[in-house]
Amino acid sequence: MSKDSEKASVKQQESISEEYQDEVKPIDTTAANIKLANPLAGIPHDQLMDDAANFAKEHGLGHLEDDFRKGALVAQDPTVFETLPHLSEEDRVILRRELTHRWDQPFQLYYLVLLCSLSAAVQGMDESVINGANLFFPDQIGIPQNVSSNQWLLGLINGAPYLCCGIVGCWVSTPMNRYFGRRGTIFISAFISFITCIWQGLTNTWWHLFIARFILGFGIGPKSATVPVYAAECTPAAIRGALVMMWQMWTAFGIMLGTVMSLAFYNVPDPSGITGLNWRLMLGSAGVPALIIMTQVFFCPESPRWLIAKGRYDKAYESIRRLRKSNIQAARDLYYIHVLLEAEKEIQTGRNLFLEMFTVPRNRRAALASGIVMFMQQFCGVNVIAYYSSNIFSQANFTNIQALIASWGFGMLNWVFALPAVYTIDTFGRRNLLLVTFPLMSVFLLMTGFAFYIPEDSKARIAVVALGIYLFTMAYSPGEGPVPFTYSAEAFPLYIRDIGMSYATAVLWFFNFVVAITFPRLLTAFTPTGAFGWYAGWNLFGFFLILLFLPETKALSLEELDQVFSVPTHIHAAYQIKALPHNIKKYIFRMKVKPLPPLYQHEGAIGEKHYAPAAGGH
């Protein structure tokens, strides 16, 4: 490494606050090795233990003074716990098992993840029950689809919740989290989801259904902005990606369950005085799991990080102790969070938090990266299938019931192929999953679109359309499916995490609305071939956005990510441009090439030593 590079690397560790005031001077990207520093590094053991003991006394945790002393030593360098004389053999066994059995976690942690997963299933059902209902309600509420203006109205009704999320629903999650906490926000949003699902089933005009679905956005928006953050703040770094991605995996399950409800109620007859009972039951069915969430959420612990932000350290310890296996682990994590959040306070300027999200360089890079993955989750084309697959399959000469069964197949594959991401998201990393799957999604969408050139009376047309959509889903589910919410939930520092996640989910739902409202008309104007080609092009565009602007976040604590996002965008992009041809030669053509130095070197923080991968894996 050159002297200039070494100086720049050292400068990155000297002062967190300086990083936020000015961009780092350009460094030699051919040898960029940016260390992710632990703020406790270098503090003498006696001083560190005294600091931890004082912290415990000052915050009503004096009875745990010894645990905090030991926890602070482990937090300083988790790799040397075997040689620390202050730890008992019992402590070492606990810490050793943490490394060798990372899935050995308390029941309470898994119960919390189960609740978050159920919240995601509600989300998926809210999105997909409209799919089957689309086959029935347009004619019954006066908007038959043989008129172009009615195609826009159908898109407006389908997209109503996401319009609300984009302009209002996601933004109210910040004050809701501030005043009601993570659990309270989840309870309120689940209540709104329950009420509006029933309401949708009672409507008889397009504008009434639009209003009901618009209000549903107040249930979808705050929940989608809060649940991934809640999961991220409660889970250990080593398995955080896998547990937070449960949001998307069980959203996929909810999408599948929504198509099951469409099939279950398809043949329900209309009793006397009721028209369209089948589609009304479809829309109302998503309210049932929302009711279950309302009854269970307060049995889970509140987010420890949220409680620390409120100054309630005693409650924060109680919460994190329920989520960890031992006192020393809970004390270590709580003290480490405290130290990092104290350092984080140095970067706050006192300005409007929304403005700080774009004026502070570290925050701006997190917003850019989160915005990219959220935008691309919509413009990769998956939700046109989730909302309109029945219509698409109908245009491929499926009968209505065949179209619903084929849509169920899409939902099933979407869920099943999200399962591998539980492992891959914390091993292969977020970036690598996206860089591999985006080109595949583009190819499979083109395959689906060109299948419509096959003669209508040929069974091959049905087969190739279904195969293209299914292959697309198999590529989407382990990549752009789970990554966006996981990535956005961990990218922002705590002091703007609520508003940062509100921004990220607002981007997602606004462009979700754009996709929902435009696709019925797009399908007619472009023809299916042009419509699928349009989204195939966006997938190629997304590949280069991910390559240049998305830092890897795998296996870093939420606070240590400050260092990753402190690397200037142009340095990150320059490194990845150099890494792309290198990794194509190495991983695709299997050539022997000289190794590139990693962009980030992570040492002395909670978790194992690792190197964040460059493009294509490194």
Side-chain angles (χ1 to χ4, degrees):
M1 179 181 287
S2 68
K3 291 183 178 179
D4 291 339
S5 298
E6 290 176 357
K7 290 178 180 178
S9 182
V10 170
K11 185 175 180 180
Q12 289 223 326
Q13 299 176 62
E14 287 178 345
S15 172
I16 291 177
S17 60
E18 288 180 9
E19 283 293 342
Y20 292 88
Q21 301 301 323
D22 301 294
E23 298 279 2
V24 214
K25 293 181 179 179
I27 62 177
D28 179 5
T29 58
T30 62
N33 188 273
I34 299 157
K35 291 187 177 181
L36 310 182
N38 184 331
L40 296 176
I43 301 176
H45 281 188
D46 290 342
Q47 179 185 338
L48 181 60
M49 289 191 294
D50 288 343
D51 290 344
N54 291 332
F55 164 81
K57 292 175 184 176
E58 290 170 5
H59 296 96
L61 299 168
H63 59 293
L64 299 166
E65 187 176 319
D66 188 50
D67 290 321
F68 276 95
R69 286 175 181 269
K70 294 187 290 186
L73 290 174
V74 178
Q76 185 182 50
D77 188 350
T79 65
V80 299
F81 68 86
E82 295 281 8
T83 61
L84 289 174
H86 308 84
L87 270 58
S88 66
E89 182 56 30
E90 181 182 357
D91 295 329
R92 293 191 181 92
V93 169
I94 291 169
L95 296 173
R96 206 176 292 135
R97 185 170 180 80
E98 183 180 48
L99 296 176
T100 58
H101 297 75
R102 63 176 185 159
W103 292 102
D104 182 17
Q105 302 292 339
F107 167 79
Q108 190 67 64
L109 179 64
Y110 289 113
Y111 182 73
L112 182 149
V113 172
L114 179 65
L115 178 97
C116 293
S117 301
L118 186 59
S119 300
V122 173
Q123 200 90 335
M125 288 188 70
D126 286 337
E127 292 181 45
S128 67
V129 288
I130 196 73
N131 193 330
N134 279 332
L135 296 173
F136 302 102
F137 75 77
D139 289 333
Q140 294 182 12
I141 63 175
I143 52 170
Q145 291 302 286
N146 56 357
V147 180
S148 62
S149 60
N150 288 345
Q151 293 169 358
W152 286 107
L153 287 177
L154 177 63
L156 183 65
I157 291 169
N158 275 266
Y162 321 122
L163 175 63
C164 175
C165 289
I167 63 175
V168 186
C170 291
W171 299 108
V172 301
S173 67
T174 298
M176 287 176 68
N177 275 277
R178 183 179 302 122
Y179 294 113
F180 303 115
R182 310 297 190 218
R183 297 180 305 173
T185 301
I186 294 170
F187 176 87
I188 294 169
S189 59
F191 174 76
I192 295 173
S193 291
F194 170 71
I195 293 297
T196 51
C197 284
I198 305 301
W199 182 5
Q200 290 178 84
L202 302 176
T203 59
N204 289 300
T205 62
W206 73 263
W207 55 266
H208 192 186
L209 181 56
F210 168 80
I211 293 172
R213 286 184 59 77
F214 186 88
I215 300 301
L216 175 62
F218 287 102
I220 292 177
K223 186 159 76 267
S224 64
T226 301
V227 173
V229 170
Y230 179 46
E233 291 179 342
C234 292
T235 53
I239 58 171
R240 187 183 67 242
L243 295 187
V244 176
M245 71 133 293
M246 293 291 180
W247 167 264
Q248 183 60 33
M249 189 178 79
W250 291 98
T251 296
F253 178 81
I255 290 173
M256 182 200 67
L257 195 58
T259 60
V260 169
M261 293 298 103
S262 294
L263 283 167
F265 296 123
Y266 181 85
N267 289 317
V268 171
D270 290 345
S272 177
I274 298 179
T275 302
L277 180 61
N278 55 356
W279 66 263
R280 298 176 190 278
L281 290 173
M282 292 176 192
L283 295 180
S285 62
V288 176
L291 186 62
I292 298 174
I293 293 170
M294 292 165 55
T295 64
Q296 297 298 311
V297 64
F298 287 108
F299 289 105
C300 293
E302 184 55 271
S303 161
R305 285 179 172 85
W306 183 85
L307 290 167
I308 288 177
K310 291 294 182 181
R312 297 159 61 181
Y313 283 83
D314 54 339
K315 295 296 182 182
Y317 178 81
E318 292 176 13
S319 177
I320 204 167
R321 182 61 185 87
R322 292 172 64 184
L323 299 167
R324 299 295 184 267
K325 296 281 285 187
S326 67
N327 285 358
I328 188 172
Q329 291 170 305
R332 176 200 63 190
D333 291 353
L334 189 72
Y335 186 67
Y336 194 59
I337 292 169
H338 162 74
V339 170
L340 288 162
L341 294 185
E342 287 298 305
E344 190 177 86
K345 288 179 181 178
E346 298 176 19
I347 72 173
Q348 299 185 40
T349 63
R351 295 192 299 264
N352 180 281
L353 291 182
F354 181 80
L355 293 178
E356 284 202 11
M357 187 164 57
F358 300 101
T359 56
V360 175
R362 179 261 183 268
N363 299 342
R364 184 171 62 246
R365 296 180 193 109
L368 173 64
S370 298
I372 287 171
V373 291
M374 290 299 201
F375 167 77
M376 284 311 307
Q377 191 180 68
Q378 304 312 307
F379 269 70
C380 72
V382 67
N383 280 333
V384 301
I385 299 172
Y387 304 155
Y388 298 111
S389 60
S390 297
N391 306 62
I392 294 168
F393 286 126
S394 293
Q395 290 207 19
N397 290 340
F398 285 63
T399 65
N400 280 353
I401 195 68
Q402 286 175 333
L404 284 174
I405 293 173
S407 297
W408 173 82
F410 158 76
M412 172 62 77
L413 289 172
N414 191 17
W415 177 57
V416 169
F417 278 86
L419 293 173
V422 174
Y423 170 77
T424 58
I425 200 167
D426 282 321
T427 53
F428 297 158
R430 286 67 155 151
R431 273 177 53 83
N432 288 337
L433 286 173
L434 297 179
L435 291 172
V436 169
T437 55
F438 264 107
L440 293 175
M441 289 192 291
S442 182
V443 170
F444 296 140
L445 285 179
L446 287 174
M447 172 183 170
T448 305
F450 284 119
F452 283 88
Y453 282 130
I454 299 173
E456 291 186 17
D457 57 352
S458 172
K459 291 185 179 180
R461 179 174 183 174
I462 292 176
V464 177
V465 168
L467 179 62
I469 287 177
Y470 290 166
L471 289 174
F472 167 83
T473 306
M474 291 159 66
Y476 165 84
S477 294
E480 184 63 1
V483 168
F485 277 97
T486 303
Y487 195 95
S488 300
E490 64 193 7
F492 296 96
L494 179 63
Y495 86 101
I496 63 159
R497 188 165 296 152
D498 289 342
I499 197 165
M501 195 62 182
S502 296
Y503 155 78
T505 50
V507 169
L508 177 133
W509 293 120
F510 175 77
F511 285 105
N512 192 322
F513 167 72
V514 171
V515 167
I517 194 173
T518 58
F519 192 72
R521 188 69 193 126
L522 188 70
L523 197 59
T524 302
F526 279 23
T527 73
T529 300
F532 281 106
W534 166 256
Y535 288 110
W538 277 107
N539 278 291
L540 290 179
F541 182 64
F543 172 85
F544 289 101
L545 290 178
I546 300 300
L547 176 71
L548 298 177
F549 303 118
L550 207 77
E552 181 58 79
T553 60
K554 174 173 71 80
L556 294 175
S557 79
L558 294 176
E559 289 74 23
E560 290 161 350
L561 291 169
D562 283 346
Q563 296 289 329
V564 170
F565 286 104
S566 292
V567 178
T569 303
H570 70 276
I571 292 178
H572 180 272
Y575 181 89
Q576 301 304 339
I577 290 172
K578 185 176 180 64
L580 179 62
H582 170 274
N583 290 316
I584 289 175
K585 292 175 184 177
K586 181 176 180 180
Y587 295 105
I588 297 180
F589 295 110
R590 315 304 295 178
M591 296 170 61
K592 291 184 178 180
V593 290
K594 185 179 179 181
L596 283 175
L599 181 58
Y600 310 116
Q601 181 182 348
H602 173 69
E603 294 180 345
I606 294 196
E608 58 187 290
K609 290 184 180 180
H610 75 280
Y611 294 96
H618 186 67

